[in-house]
Amino acid sequence: MKKLRPKTIQIYLPAGDPRGVRVAEITTRIVRVIEIPRSQLQDFLKMPEAQQVSLYFLIGELSEAGLPRTYIGQSGNVGKRLSQHNQENDRGKDFWNRALVVVSITNSLTQTHALFLEWFAIGEATKAGRYSLENGNTGARPHTPAPLEADCHEIHETAATLLATLGQPIFEPLSNTTASAGPKELFYCKSSDADGVGEYTSEGFVVLKGSQGRAEVTPSIRGTSNERLRKQLVSEGIMSPVGSMLEFTRDHLFASPSSAACILMGRPANGWTEWKAANGKTMDEVKRQVVSSVADLS
């Protein structure tokens, strides 16, 4: 379990626009991440970093399963590569509206760094399961000398922190697994049509990998957005048939406990009563009623 340490992060606005180009860096590191709205790509192309070797991320519209879409790439001249992605003939990657590029302040990244970082980033993003990756394949691990590989892991760690700071937690697990988060508080949904485990987080409700629900939906949700979402989760491999059930192949974030329960059970559900702690208390008792009682005392 990774221990988090305090950090100082600086975000610079070249044009003074908080919604425009933003440059983020940890003050003691040599790596910076530049966030570029697609509409302001021409401004980035004027920056010296546009000529550098870079790992980059294209971020855009949600997939049908509700996950933000991303493409992870690398280039020896990132400005030129982003310009190619911006062309009309690059239809396969026309989903993006922002790019984030990882560069070295000392311009010391090599093509070998970039190839390893691309391969490693795709694997880590796939494991995290937060984003729908538009990469056609995971690529092959390039031959990387041990000292250079060690540098790449440090670069990746810095880039991951900066990406999350800029609102793109591509590599962060959905479940609370950091040392500072303390013990997990799990909730269970067990019935004749479900055997699920989940976690209530600051972002929503996460159904954990291995949770199982009924394969067929009830007539009450047929033709609804919930049935369409369920089908899309199956189509994207997030839920997979196992016997007469559907099983989550990875952790998946839902906006609410009720949405999570409905998709898991294949029927309308009130997640605040369906999800229960290990002691049998409902989420409503553990979370909402506790908040209400504290508010009454204040």
Side-chain angles (χ1 to χ4, degrees):
M1 195 175 289
K2 185 177 176 181
K3 182 176 177 60
L4 297 178
R5 300 186 305 276
K7 298 177 179 68
T8 299
I9 294 175
Q10 174 179 284
I11 298 179
Y12 172 59
L13 310 177
D17 181 2
R19 297 187 181 183
V21 175
R22 299 193 292 173
V23 182
E25 59 188 66
I26 297 176
T27 53
T28 57
R29 309 280 178 87
I30 65 165
V31 174
R32 63 171 46 134
V33 172
I34 305 174
E35 180 183 18
I36 309 140
R38 186 171 180 175
S39 61
Q40 296 181 26
L41 179 58
Q42 70 277 7
D43 295 330
F44 171 69
L45 297 179
K46 299 172 186 176
M47 297 171 63
E49 290 90 345
Q51 312 303 316
Q52 289 191 25
V53 174
S54 172
L55 175 72
Y56 66 88
F57 303 81
L58 304 179
I59 307 289
E61 60 197 33
L62 300 180
S63 71
E64 292 185 22
L67 298 176
R69 299 167 68 189
T70 187
Y71 174 83
I72 302 174
Q74 58 79 30
S75 175
N77 184 314
V78 67
K80 182 177 181 180
R81 189 72 185 102
L82 292 181
S83 294
Q84 292 171 344
H85 286 310
N86 193 46
Q87 299 303 310
E88 290 185 6
N89 59 1
D90 198 10
R91 295 290 185 186
K93 301 182 186 66
D94 200 36
F95 67 91
W96 65 285
N97 51 42
R98 305 187 88 77
L100 293 100
V101 303
V102 180
V103 296
S104 166
I105 294 173
T106 58
N107 197 10
S108 56
L109 289 187
T110 67
Q111 200 70 47
T112 305
H113 284 107
L115 287 167
F116 182 90
L117 286 166
E118 178 189 42
W119 168 80
F120 189 72
I122 292 171
E124 292 299 292
T126 300
K127 283 194 290 185
R130 280 181 173 271
Y131 286 63
S132 176
L133 263 67
E134 299 299 306
N135 294 74
N137 55 65
T138 59
R141 177 174 182 166
H143 172 69
T144 311
L148 193 147
E149 183 174 329
D151 289 344
C152 286
H153 285 293
E154 186 171 332
I155 293 166
H156 174 83
E157 179 184 336
T158 302
T161 299
L162 294 174
L163 287 165
T165 301
L166 291 170
Q168 304 295 343
I170 296 172
F171 305 111
E172 290 189 6
L174 290 168
S175 180
N176 292 326
T177 58
T178 57
S180 62
K184 286 186 180 182
E185 184 179 23
L186 299 178
F187 293 91
Y188 303 86
C189 181
K190 294 185 180 292
S191 67
S192 59
D193 50 15
D195 183 6
V197 184
E199 185 179 4
Y200 191 43
T201 75
S202 59
E203 298 175 274
F205 194 89
V206 178
V207 176
L208 300 183
K209 177 181 177 180
S211 296
Q212 293 188 339
R214 64 189 298 162
E216 300 297 325
V217 300
T218 62
S220 52
I221 70 165
R222 284 183 189 149
T224 68
S225 59
N226 283 321
E227 183 189 32
R228 290 191 292 274
L229 174 56
R230 213 167 188 259
K231 287 181 177 179
Q232 193 60 37
L233 292 176
V234 173
S235 173
E236 295 192 14
I238 297 169
M239 297 179 78
S240 179
V242 177
S244 61
M245 308 287 276
L246 287 178
E247 181 174 288
F248 279 80
T249 62
R250 64 188 193 217
D251 298 350
H252 188 75
L253 175 67
F254 291 91
S256 69
S258 294
S259 176
C262 175
I263 297 304
L264 181 73
M265 305 173 85
R267 61 173 175 80
N270 180 348
W272 293 97
T273 56
E274 296 286 359
W275 293 102
K276 298 178 181 178
N279 62 8
K281 289 187 176 181
T282 65
M283 271 195 68
D284 182 66
E285 295 173 290
V286 174
K287 294 297 183 182
R288 293 201 295 198
Q289 291 184 28
V290 168
V291 172
S292 296
S293 63
V294 171
D296 291 340
L297 293 173
S298 61

